[in-house]
Amino acid sequence: MGPRLRGDDNMKIITRPLRLARIIYVMMRYNVDEIILGKHWFFPLRIAVYFNPFYWTTGRKLTRGVRIRLAIEALGPIFVKAGQIVSTRRDLLPDDITNELAKLQDRVSPFPGRKAKTIIEQAQGCSVDKVFKEFDIKALASASIAQVHAATLLSGDSVVVKVLRPNVRAMIDRDIDLLMMLASIANRYWYNARHFKPKQIVTEVAQTLYDELDLMREAANASQLKRNFAHSDLLHVPKIYWKQTNPNMLVMERIHGIPIHDIARLKSAGVNMRKLAESGIELFFTQIFRDNFFHADLHPGNIFVSVTNPKHPTFILVDFGIVGSLSKEDQRYIAENMVAFFKRDYQRVAELHIACGWLSPDTRVDQFEGAVRGASEPIFEQTQYDISFGHLLLKLFQVARHFQINIQPQLILLQKTLLGIESLSRSISPDVEIWSFAGPQVEKWLKRQIGVKAFFSRIRENLPLWSEQLPQLPSLLFETLSEKRKQQVEERFAQRNSNNNNQDSYKVKFAYFLTGVIATAIGVAIYVH
């Protein structure tokens, strides 16, 4: 008999086939099976496509990217969220598919407001009336992970309440378990899995989803970003009400602004559109290079504009579930890469990619340099207004796939955010020259990281630590020298023993030889006698 199954394993045996059957049906419905079976390793099974009744519908005339997007939307909110995350992995997936996945939106029907009230009361341990003076049972917005309700605190402050969807963790557990199983199968039987890394992608999706389930983490992200821009009129971050916030429920200030995608309203409000576009670029680079902490989900639905002063508009951000940060080394390499790209110093770009570990050390610099030049030159030959750093990145992703560049998740978030900012800036003010505005900021940051001033700045930063460690230096030096002397004595002793052993060995061998000679001489003498 086999091992006894636990309750979770029994449940998986029931739910996995049902969910898998649903996935197969949806794939057939949108002719995604034709895309899969069209690969050469499935060639013997290619004929099975013609037995799919949906094959003969008009749906198969759609592009493969559209069909995959429609299938993901039909599979539900968790697959939609996973598709949004995967759409950022342009280093792994073809451009036509990632472009379509980028269009995925959380168009999820809200769950009943009564359930939201029940979740709030369970989280607060009391009735809603004891927390809020008013609570709108109708949802303001609804997404795959949570939905938002308007409310008023007992103090009179106008707030929004973000509440996790019921049983959302169980839904994520179910779908991630199934995706990981499929990724394991692909890893085992698909040769190209080593390039696409399906298990790594599923792990990345799972980590992002589980992070978004902790609303305390999101609240902390918002607080950090608010603190970073506390003395700036560039960005306003809603206030967090910590007393009412917990892992399942987030309460924050209700903001009032114009959605960034509503260009007509912004113009009618008298907003300086060029100034707004430049402020968006400045906001991005400030988060990256000054604070090393950036909002990594800057799609238009999360960005609003305060028009209190139309000549100097202020951005308002919401939804802080996904943020990113970089190491000092990554900051430096990204800045140097940007400067090198726009100076067309492709050899420097190749050397930086190897130095920071994005490329294998045995990669030929000249080959990578040539590939980067081939991707970049056609873009740089355009006018300054038409140069798109986003399109340049897309070309470089194609180069990355060829050279198997090891791109870290935080860099993927950065690239996704940069693409979003550029697209946003172009939509607000099409004539904005992104690099001419951002380039000087990056070069200025680089200059602050090197030179005499940067040297003394780092000394000043490390001085408290050094002053704490300084009294311990004599003891550490004495211990180090004592240990070194002990090692030298042990080495000399071991060498002397080795020499003695060698000498003893020679003596023994000579004794055996001499004994043999004497025995031979005696034997010969006896024989002659």
Side-chain angles (χ1 to χ4, degrees):
M1 292 182 63
R4 294 185 63 184
L5 295 172
R6 296 174 305 186
D8 289 347
D9 294 328
N10 280 320
M11 186 59 66
K12 287 177 182 178
I13 288 176
I14 297 171
T15 58
R16 273 180 178 173
L18 293 175
R19 187 60 172 161
L20 191 58
R22 168 68 179 164
I23 292 172
I24 292 172
Y25 168 78
V26 171
M27 289 171 63
M28 292 174 62
R29 172 68 182 83
Y30 292 98
N31 298 121
V32 179
D33 59 325
E34 181 189 12
I35 300 170
I36 297 171
L37 296 179
K39 300 298 181 182
H40 65 275
W41 50 83
F42 288 124
F43 185 76
L45 302 175
R46 183 72 178 84
I47 194 172
V49 171
Y50 301 105
F51 293 98
N52 176 6
F54 296 107
Y55 176 79
W56 307 102
T57 65
T58 55
R60 71 189 184 91
K61 296 179 181 178
L62 301 172
T63 64
R64 66 175 183 175
V66 172
R67 280 185 273 165
I68 291 172
R69 174 175 59 82
L70 292 174
I72 288 175
E73 289 176 346
L75 286 171
I78 304 305
F79 274 78
V80 168
K81 179 62 73 173
Q84 291 172 337
I85 297 167
V86 171
S87 70
T88 66
R89 298 308 308 262
R90 294 178 181 268
D91 57 317
L92 298 177
L93 299 175
D95 294 336
D96 62 318
I97 293 178
T98 52
N99 287 337
E100 278 299 324
L101 294 184
K103 299 176 183 178
L104 288 169
Q105 299 294 326
D106 284 344
R107 299 189 186 95
V108 182
S109 300
F111 60 89
R114 294 187 303 277
K115 286 188 177 180
K117 286 185 68 174
T118 301
I119 294 171
I120 292 171
E121 289 173 345
Q122 289 174 348
Q124 297 293 323
C126 60
S127 67
V128 169
D129 296 338
K130 292 185 178 180
V131 182
F132 303 107
K133 183 187 295 184
E134 296 177 4
F135 180 83
D136 190 351
I137 202 166
K138 184 179 180 182
L140 273 178
S142 181
S144 56
I145 301 294
Q147 72 181 31
V148 176
H149 292 261
T152 305
L153 291 174
L154 298 178
S155 61
D157 292 351
S158 181
V159 297
V160 293
V161 186
K162 188 173 184 177
V163 184
L164 289 180
R165 299 184 75 88
N167 303 318
V168 65
R169 179 175 288 275
M171 293 168 59
I172 292 176
D173 288 342
R174 177 198 65 189
D175 286 343
I176 290 296
D177 172 70
L178 184 58
L179 289 173
M180 188 59 77
M181 182 191 74
L182 296 174
S184 299
I185 294 172
N187 233 31
R188 186 170 182 178
Y189 297 106
W190 185 25
Y191 175 76
N192 284 335
R194 60 193 180 93
H195 300 310
F196 288 93
K197 303 175 183 176
K199 292 186 74 171
Q200 178 183 325
I201 292 177
V202 174
T203 301
E204 186 179 324
V205 168
Q207 185 62 54
T208 303
L209 288 172
Y210 287 126
D211 285 349
E212 288 197 61
L213 288 180
D214 186 355
L215 297 184
M216 288 290 284
R217 177 192 289 264
E218 180 177 342
N221 292 339
S223 290
Q224 177 69 56
L225 200 59
K226 187 176 184 66
R227 186 161 57 251
N228 291 345
F229 287 88
H231 305 291
S232 171
D233 59 359
L234 191 64
L235 173 67
H236 174 75
V237 177
K239 174 185 175 182
I240 301 296
Y241 290 84
W242 286 103
K243 186 178 179 181
Q244 291 82 16
T245 296
N246 58 62
N248 296 323
M249 168 183 163
L250 170 62
V251 179
M252 66 166 55
E253 168 195 358
R254 185 174 184 181
I255 56 96
H256 298 279
I258 300 174
I260 192 69
H261 56 78
D262 197 341
I263 305 297
R265 279 184 64 191
L266 290 171
K267 288 182 176 179
S268 64
V271 172
N272 184 333
M273 301 303 285
R274 185 175 182 84
K275 173 67 176 175
L276 185 64
E278 290 177 350
S279 295
I281 300 167
E282 182 182 352
L283 176 62
F284 170 76
F285 283 97
T286 301
Q287 290 180 80
I288 298 301
F289 294 111
R290 188 195 71 181
D291 303 327
N292 190 21
F293 186 84
F294 59 96
H295 191 302
D297 198 15
L298 290 180
H299 62 77
N302 288 339
I303 309 174
F304 299 83
V305 179
S306 171
V307 293
T308 306
N309 183 354
K311 299 301 178 185
H312 296 281
T314 300
F315 283 95
I316 306 172
L317 299 183
V318 297
D319 195 353
F320 308 92
I322 304 177
V323 296
S325 61
L326 304 171
S327 67
K328 288 288 185 183
E329 292 76 15
D330 282 341
Q331 275 184 308
R332 173 79 178 270
Y333 283 123
I334 286 166
E336 290 192 357
N337 265 293
M338 285 182 173
V339 173
F341 266 122
F342 281 90
K343 288 183 177 179
R344 303 193 188 188
D345 187 352
Y346 303 121
Q347 181 177 353
R348 178 62 177 158
V349 171
E351 290 170 350
L352 284 168
H353 274 68
I354 293 174
C356 68
W358 298 345
L359 274 176
S360 171
D362 57 359
T363 302
R364 286 185 54 179
V365 173
D366 59 330
Q367 288 184 350
F368 185 70
E369 178 188 351
V372 172
R373 181 182 292 108
S376 305
E377 280 299 315
I379 293 175
F380 286 129
E381 286 302 316
Q382 301 175 21
T383 64
Q384 188 75 6
Y385 294 107
D386 295 327
I387 290 177
S388 167
F389 196 71
H391 289 155
L392 176 61
L393 279 178
L394 294 182
K395 292 288 186 183
L396 292 176
F397 285 140
Q398 294 173 348
V399 174
R401 284 203 296 270
H402 179 70
F403 283 87
Q404 301 175 28
I405 290 181
N406 180 28
I407 300 179
Q408 299 301 313
Q410 68 271 20
L411 297 177
I412 297 294
L413 284 176
L414 177 67
Q415 291 159 349
K416 168 196 170 187
T417 307
L418 179 55
L419 284 167
I421 284 293
E422 183 186 64
S423 175
L424 187 66
S425 300
R426 299 280 188 196
S427 66
I428 295 171
S429 181
D431 61 343
V432 66
E433 298 179 17
I434 293 177
W435 183 248
S436 64
F437 182 77
Q441 293 189 53
V442 176
E443 291 180 330
K444 191 184 298 182
W445 181 86
L446 273 174
K447 288 178 182 177
R448 288 199 301 267
Q449 303 307 305
I450 57 178
V452 176
K453 187 180 291 186
F455 173 75
F456 285 108
S457 176
R458 282 193 287 272
I459 288 179
R460 188 169 60 251
E461 290 174 3
N462 289 302
L463 202 56
L465 178 62
W466 292 346
S467 64
E468 181 182 339
Q469 294 175 342
L470 189 62
Q472 303 174 29
L473 286 181
S475 299
L476 292 172
L477 182 61
F478 176 77
E479 291 174 7
T480 302
L481 293 175
S482 298
E483 187 65 28
K484 182 67 176 175
R485 183 179 179 184
K486 182 180 176 183
Q487 289 177 359
Q488 290 174 343
V489 171
E490 289 175 350
E491 288 173 1
R492 285 199 296 270
F493 181 75
Q495 187 176 5
R496 186 177 295 123
N497 282 345
S498 176
N499 292 337
N500 290 339
N501 290 337
N502 288 337
Q503 291 175 3
D504 291 343
S505 176
Y506 293 142
K507 289 177 181 178
V508 171
K509 290 177 180 178
F510 180 73
Y512 280 127
F513 172 75
L514 188 60
T515 302
V517 170
I518 294 172
T520 303
I522 293 172
V524 170
I526 292 173
Y527 175 75
V528 172
H529 180 72

